[in-house]
Structures are given as structure tokens and as C-alpha cells.
Amino acid sequence: MKLQREILEPCNIFEENGSVMQAGWSRTPVFIRNDEQGRSVAKHCEREICFVNNGEVSLYFAVENYVKEFNIKIAVADLKHGGVICDNINKKLRFSKVELPSDDRNGEFTFDDKGITLKLTNTIDGKFIRCAYREFGGFDDFYCNIFLKKNIEESLSELAPFERNRKYYYFKRFMPCYTAQGAIKLGGIEYSLKENTARAYIDKTRYFKPREHQYQRLSADCMLGGKRFSLNLASRVGDNRYGNENCFFYDGKLEKLSQITVKGTPNRNDRPYYYKGGMSALDIMFKPFTVRGEAMAAKLGNTTVIFGRLYGTINRIDYDKPLELDNAQAHMIFSEF
């Protein structure tokens, strides 16, 4: 079992020489971004994912801010009738990269190019996402106007050097802290999001690393037994001797998990994946939705999102009464970055 170091006191991400100061995880935002100390700040990359779900429709929304490239990736999955429509924008930057807001409670980002208009606004109460995408997926126009309201305090933060070289690093925040309200429109179809039935998580990563990485993550954000359940099981990124990003949330409380064993069938998106945790902490299966024999999936450049359900149990909360996950909506994300 890997050592899990929980960071309890506020600390900077970088030391004065630009190296990663700490390694571990926290349930509150204790890591302070002191970018002026980062020697390679011009090469830092950012990725911010928002996932909204109300049981009938799921929205995957990602912005990726690389050194000379900016991507927007969107997928709308109709969970009631089956089917996914998706599209993505890739913008090459000749001189300088764009900047996403660093403060979750303040800041605004706008982008207008190639048939898409995007506006992200952070406020003290939550986040606004406004987007208009012409000829989305080559067909109808896409539009969304959504407010994410924060109502849960605990989240997961992880900081790790990359491959034991503290000049490189991986910083992650998984925040299943929001309800969602607003609307998603796709052609003549409109999906209504109401605060009492729609949930959202935000997944933010910031990193600087020496090579490309193959990454996969299993996530869920749904209601189980009248309480909210959120899951984050991910492949190894960076030096994880002092922590990883494996965890789940139940009724707003973070439960940390150690190493997870994953078994699946490479290059077969329609096949199940199996996850097991040490000491019977977790034993679950992810089964993709299929439409006419094909996995219900969105291909977005170097990212693939597969929609499906979970089956199995988590014993971490109560060994006498395991948490049953049968038919819990979930999704897997495969990406290269």
C-alpha cells in the first residue's frame, strides 16, 4: 500500500528554486499557486473539465490550455434515448497562450473563434458557463447557459512531482461540489437543468512534464440511497509515493482510496472494465452503454469519453453494509496529454 500523505496546512506549490515543495493530497484547497517561483511557468499546461448530469442528459465540457495550442471539447449524451453528439475546436497559438482564471471565486475567460463563442465566469458562489457553437458536430447549433452553484466544501487536491524530478509536476483538483441549473440546447431539443436534480463536478489539472502520458479515469456523479455519490479512480500520473487521486465522495464527505487494480480489454470500448481495491475496499465493474452494438462514446481528438453504468460494491464506508453501486451512471475518460 502506498503511503498517503494528507497535507493539512497551507503551503506553496513551488519552492524558491522552482521545485515542487510538497507531495501529497488534501481535502481542502491548501496548495497555493505561487507561479512567480516556477522556473518553467511559460511551459505550464492547464486542463479544466466540467461534467454535468441530471440522469437524462450528460454534458462533458473541457478546455485545454497548452503552450502553443488551445482546445475546446464538448459532448452531449442523451442517456434516456441513447446517443452522443460531440465536437471540438483546436486553435494553434502563434505567439502566446491564453490564460484561464486561476481563482475559483473570481475571474472571467472569453473565446470567440471558428464558429464558437465561449464565456466562463467564476464568482464567489459558483461558475457560469455560456457557450454557442454553430453547426455542432456538423449538424445543429449547440447552446448552453448554465450556472454551477457550489454547495459542498470538501474536494480533492493532489500535488506530485513527475517521475521524482521536482522540476516537473502534476497538480490536480477534483471538485464534485456543485449543483447545476440552466439549459442545454441542441438543434430543436432543449434539456432543462434544475438545481434539485442536476449535479456537476469540475476537474482541474495543471502540469509541466517531460513526456506525453496515457491517462484514464473512471468517474461518477449521481444519487445513491438519497445521497450524492461521486467517484474518481485514475491511472498513475507523476510520482505517487505520497498520494494519488483515487477517492470517492458520499454525502459530501471525501473517502480516500489507495492503489486500484484495473482490468479491461484494450481497444474494445464496448467491453467492461473491472476495478478492485485492497482489503476488499472496492470491487466494481464499469459496463458501457451500447447503441446498435457500439459503445456509447464521444471521440474528441486525443480524448475519448465512454458513458455507462457501475455494478458492484464499496465497503469503505461500512463493512457491515456495503455501498451498492448497481446501475449507477458513470463514465470513463481516456486521453493523451
Side-chain angles (χ1 to χ4, degrees):
M1 181 180 295
K2 295 180 181 293
L3 174 64
Q4 298 279 298
R5 176 192 287 170
E6 183 177 1
I7 308 299
L8 300 174
E9 299 295 331
C11 64
N12 291 329
I13 290 180
F14 301 108
E15 297 179 355
E16 291 185 1
N17 64 1
S19 298
V20 174
M21 177 172 287
Q22 291 278 11
W25 66 277
S26 71
R27 62 184 73 241
T28 57
V30 298
F31 298 109
I32 301 170
R33 286 176 55 169
N34 59 328
D35 290 345
E36 67 280 1
Q37 300 294 345
R39 291 188 173 184
S40 303
V41 64
K43 299 179 181 179
H44 294 178
C45 300
E46 294 176 304
R47 181 177 58 191
E48 182 169 330
I49 297 170
C50 174
F51 189 89
V52 180
N53 177 50
N54 69 353
E56 295 187 353
V57 63
S58 289
L59 171 67
Y60 173 89
F61 195 104
V63 289
E64 300 173 341
N65 177 22
Y66 300 119
V67 177
K68 293 294 183 180
E69 183 179 322
F70 182 76
N71 296 324
I72 300 174
K73 300 176 179 180
I74 305 173
V76 180
D78 191 320
L79 305 175
K80 187 175 181 179
H81 302 97
V84 181
I85 299 179
C86 61
D87 212 334
N88 62 285
I89 288 286
N90 177 274
K91 174 71 174 179
K92 300 295 183 181
L93 305 175
R94 306 182 89 186
F95 302 108
S96 62
K97 68 176 184 178
V98 299
E99 292 289 344
L100 299 177
S102 59
D103 188 343
D104 293 335
R105 301 175 299 174
N106 186 37
E108 189 171 83
F109 171 79
T110 59
F111 181 85
D112 191 349
D113 187 75
K114 293 185 178 179
I116 186 171
T117 300
L118 170 65
K119 187 174 184 180
L120 306 175
T121 307
N122 294 341
T123 73
I124 193 170
D125 297 318
K127 185 184 192 76
F128 287 95
I129 301 175
R130 301 179 179 94
C131 182
Y133 197 143
R134 273 74 72 187
E135 296 184 0
F136 179 75
F139 299 100
D140 296 318
D141 292 349
F142 165 87
Y143 172 82
C144 73
N145 187 355
I146 304 170
F147 176 63
L148 307 182
K149 181 180 179 181
K150 186 175 181 180
N151 59 2
I152 296 175
E153 292 302 321
E154 289 196 11
S155 61
L156 172 78
S157 295
E158 184 213 354
L159 176 63
F162 197 85
E163 296 177 342
R164 305 195 181 192
N165 185 337
R166 294 198 302 143
K167 177 179 69 174
Y168 303 105
Y169 76 102
Y170 176 80
F171 177 51
K172 158 94 166 192
R173 290 196 68 197
F174 178 68
M175 298 172 282
C177 306
Y178 302 89
T179 56
Q181 54 185 323
I184 302 169
K185 296 181 181 179
L186 187 54
I189 302 175
E190 179 172 341
Y191 302 96
S192 178
L193 302 174
K194 298 181 180 180
E195 185 179 349
N196 61 337
T197 56
R199 296 155 300 280
Y201 72 71
I202 293 178
D203 181 297
K204 299 179 67 171
T205 54
R206 182 177 173 87
Y207 56 89
F208 173 51
K209 55 192 186 66
R211 61 177 178 85
E212 290 188 354
H213 192 88
Q214 302 286 334
Y215 177 84
Q216 70 180 49
R217 170 162 63 85
L218 172 66
S219 285
D221 195 14
C222 57
M223 300 299 293
L224 290 178
K227 297 180 180 179
R228 184 170 178 174
F229 169 77
S230 305
L231 180 68
N232 184 92
L233 302 180
S235 59
R236 176 182 179 274
V237 180
D239 179 5
N240 293 162
R241 288 175 297 166
Y242 302 106
N244 57 49
E245 57 183 275
N246 294 330
C247 68
F248 68 92
F249 293 75
Y250 190 62
D251 198 22
K253 299 298 181 182
L254 168 64
E255 294 284 342
K256 197 70 182 64
L257 294 168
S258 187
Q259 187 172 353
I260 303 296
T261 301
V262 185
K263 292 184 179 180
T265 305
N267 303 318
R268 287 296 301 271
N269 290 344
D270 59 325
R271 296 288 183 88
Y273 275 76
Y274 301 88
Y275 294 77
K276 289 190 177 183
M279 300 181 64
S280 300
L282 176 146
D283 189 353
I284 59 178
M285 175 185 71
F286 171 79
K287 185 177 182 180
F289 291 129
T290 56
V291 179
R292 293 184 292 275
E294 298 289 333
M296 190 169 156
K299 180 65 177 177
L300 299 159
N302 59 1
T303 299
T304 299
V305 184
I306 305 174
F307 300 87
R309 293 187 183 274
L310 294 177
Y311 300 87
T313 58
I314 294 180
N315 294 314
R316 184 64 179 267
I317 294 177
D318 186 343
Y319 283 91
D320 295 325
K321 189 178 180 181
L323 184 63
E324 300 286 344
L325 301 183
D326 288 354
N327 281 318
Q329 291 181 355
H331 56 280
M332 290 189 67
I333 299 172
F334 298 84
S335 64
E336 299 177 5
F337 67 96

